[in-house]
Amino acid sequence: MGSLENERTVIGWAAKDPSGILSPYSYTLRNTGPEDVLLNIIYCGICHSDLHQVKNDLGMSRYPMVPGHEVVGEVVEVGSEVTKFKVGDVVGVGVLVGSCRNCNPCKSDIEQYCNKKIWSYNDVYTDGKPTQGGFAQSMVVDQKFVVKIPDGMSPEQAAPLLCAGLTVYSPISHFGLKKSGLRGGILGLGGVGHMGVKIAKAMGHHVTVISSSDKKREEALEHLGADDYLVSSDTTRMQEFADTLDYIIDTVPVFHPLEPYISLLKLDGKLILLGVINTPLQFLTPMVMLGRKTITGSFIGSMKETEEMLEFCKEKGVTSMIEVVKMDYVNKAMERLEKNDVRYRFVVDVAGSKMDP
């Protein structure tokens, strides 16, 4: 198969400036190298970090930028040294498309902590070309950063698992929280939070959703299967829950005080930060010291964990709650996501969309 003589021109929807407004954009893909997979994109989830990136909230955005890192597609060509995939396979691509392969994290199969990792978009690949994401017709990706979607799992359901599902599964696995019978809290009920409830329940945990308002109570308890619901401003109930949780997965992507939630943790409990926030968070040290509590963070997950997580979700029947939209709705979807007006993940039907203007 090897390289193609001509580079492919594809159309993606790109942000051209920090307004974050997406519009059609034509660009070329790199040739398919020996270990590369060319996939035609079928679906792509919309993540809260896509919003941060297109609007330059973190101050590192390069334009034009095609976002999207919850990518499911069909393999249409493989390089001469590709062993894991064949034409016709339905595969997934997540947040990363490259790493150095030589550092300790890479050698330990936790390449997401490589200091030279290459993001799926808003980055520069080893050939010097900008990386572009899944809001596009096709991608070329090194086989190491591609996973097979399990047979029988619908592609639109699989898309959010590649970031939201993985982001929750990885810390639960790494911090030894996979055993049943634990009591967990999920702080914030968005795209990542709703996957937190589903995966923790599938692990056999007692799950409490913690939210700033009552408006998602019915959704959490009746649709997602949470065991309890706690409104953070209800001081009486918060006090009742003091020292009861083994862990809290904090998915809130905006500034918030940590003390109320640290107090809910048992001795040796863990507060695991997953939300991307560009302002410092605060807490008083005795809150942590007097219960030997841990405030930690976790970043997506490894390729190995991605495969494990997909198999786990298939075995346990875990799916994401999604709203499928076409590409011409993507700007409206981004607006709604900013207002938390989605239950619980937008997924773009890329293959079924008219991509050009």
Side-chain angles (χ1 to χ4, degrees):
M1 295 268 184
S3 292
L4 297 168
E5 287 181 16
N6 300 311
E7 292 184 323
R8 281 183 182 77
T9 299
V10 295
I11 295 171
W13 278 52
K16 312 286 175 38
D17 55 53
S19 71
I21 302 296
L22 301 173
S23 58
Y25 167 63
S26 181
Y27 58 100
T28 55
L29 296 179
R30 73 172 188 276
N31 293 336
T32 313
E35 293 201 24
D36 285 333
V37 172
L38 171 69
L39 55 132
N40 285 348
I41 295 166
I42 307 170
Y43 290 100
C44 186
I46 305 179
C47 176
H48 209 279
S49 58
D50 294 326
L51 205 52
H52 283 308
Q53 294 283 8
V54 298
K55 289 181 174 287
N56 197 25
D57 289 345
L58 304 175
M60 298 180 294
S61 296
R62 313 158 197 244
Y63 302 99
M65 179 203 304
V66 178
H69 60 237
E70 296 180 337
V71 184
V72 175
E74 181 182 344
V75 176
V76 292
E77 182 184 321
V78 294
S80 56
E81 293 172 27
V82 170
T83 54
K84 290 172 63 181
F85 306 101
K86 62 184 189 304
V87 171
D89 283 349
V90 177
V91 297
V93 178
V95 179
L96 302 181
V97 293
S99 67
C100 80
R101 315 288 180 103
N102 297 315
C103 65
N104 283 334
C106 282
K107 287 177 177 173
S108 305
D109 286 333
I110 47 171
E111 58 286 324
Q112 73 272 30
Y113 297 110
C114 171
N115 287 331
K116 295 180 180 174
K117 58 183 165 284
I118 301 172
W119 306 90
S120 303
Y121 68 89
N122 194 32
D123 207 346
V124 177
Y125 202 68
T126 50
D127 61 3
K129 290 184 74 167
T131 60
Q132 301 290 11
F135 292 8
Q137 293 165 320
S138 306
M139 283 176 90
V140 175
V141 185
D142 186 298
Q143 67 171 343
K144 178 177 171 54
F145 294 90
V146 180
V147 289
K148 190 160 187 327
I149 302 299
D151 292 340
M153 184 179 275
S154 64
E156 67 274 25
Q157 288 287 352
L161 300 179
L162 297 167
C163 174
L166 178 63
T167 295
V168 170
Y169 181 90
S170 178
I172 287 176
S173 178
H174 174 74
F175 292 116
L177 302 171
K178 284 170 91 168
K179 51 185 180 283
S180 65
L182 296 180
R183 298 178 71 88
I186 305 294
L187 177 55
L189 199 56
V192 176
H194 102 283
M195 286 313 308
V197 175
K198 289 187 156 222
I199 287 174
K201 283 300 293 178
M203 296 276 183
H205 298 179
H206 180 283
V207 179
T208 300
V209 169
I210 310 160
S211 187
S212 58
S213 77
D214 220 24
K215 69 180 183 183
K216 294 183 181 176
R217 180 184 295 273
E218 183 184 340
E219 190 82 48
L221 299 175
E222 294 184 20
H223 298 285
L224 296 175
D227 299 287
D228 221 323
Y229 191 92
L230 199 50
V231 178
S232 53
S233 57
D234 185 340
T235 49
T236 306
R237 286 266 289 156
M238 288 288 281
Q239 281 166 2
E240 283 172 19
F241 271 75
D243 303 318
T244 63
L245 300 180
D246 294 291
Y247 66 88
I248 294 173
I249 290 176
D250 180 347
T251 73
V252 176
V254 293
F255 176 84
H256 55 288
L258 296 184
E259 271 99 343
Y261 312 110
I262 295 170
S263 67
L264 302 177
L265 294 170
K266 289 179 182 174
L267 175 67
D268 290 326
K270 292 178 171 58
L271 176 65
I272 303 165
L273 301 173
L274 301 182
V276 176
I277 303 168
N278 58 3
T279 48
L281 297 180
Q282 297 171 323
F283 61 93
L284 298 173
T285 55
M287 301 278 306
V288 174
M289 294 159 55
L290 296 174
R292 201 165 59 190
K293 297 171 185 180
T294 303
I295 298 174
T296 187
S298 179
F299 174 63
I300 48 165
S302 65
M303 298 313 298
K304 192 175 171 189
E305 285 171 326
T306 309
E307 289 171 348
E308 269 177 35
M309 176 273 307
L310 287 170
E311 285 303 327
F312 174 83
C313 289
K314 183 190 175 184
E315 181 194 332
K316 300 287 188 181
V318 175
T319 56
S320 39
M321 284 180 73
I322 59 174
E323 183 176 332
V324 178
V325 299
K326 293 285 201 286
M327 192 60 82
D328 60 7
Y329 189 80
V330 73
N331 288 307
K332 182 69 177 171
M334 289 285 209
E335 267 178 48
R336 285 179 53 196
L337 177 60
E338 199 161 22
K339 297 172 187 163
N340 292 319
D341 176 24
V342 55
R343 299 289 184 274
Y344 277 95
R345 203 63 151 188
F346 284 115
V347 175
V348 182
D349 175 5
V350 179
S353 295
K354 184 174 183 287
M355 298 293 286
D356 49 349

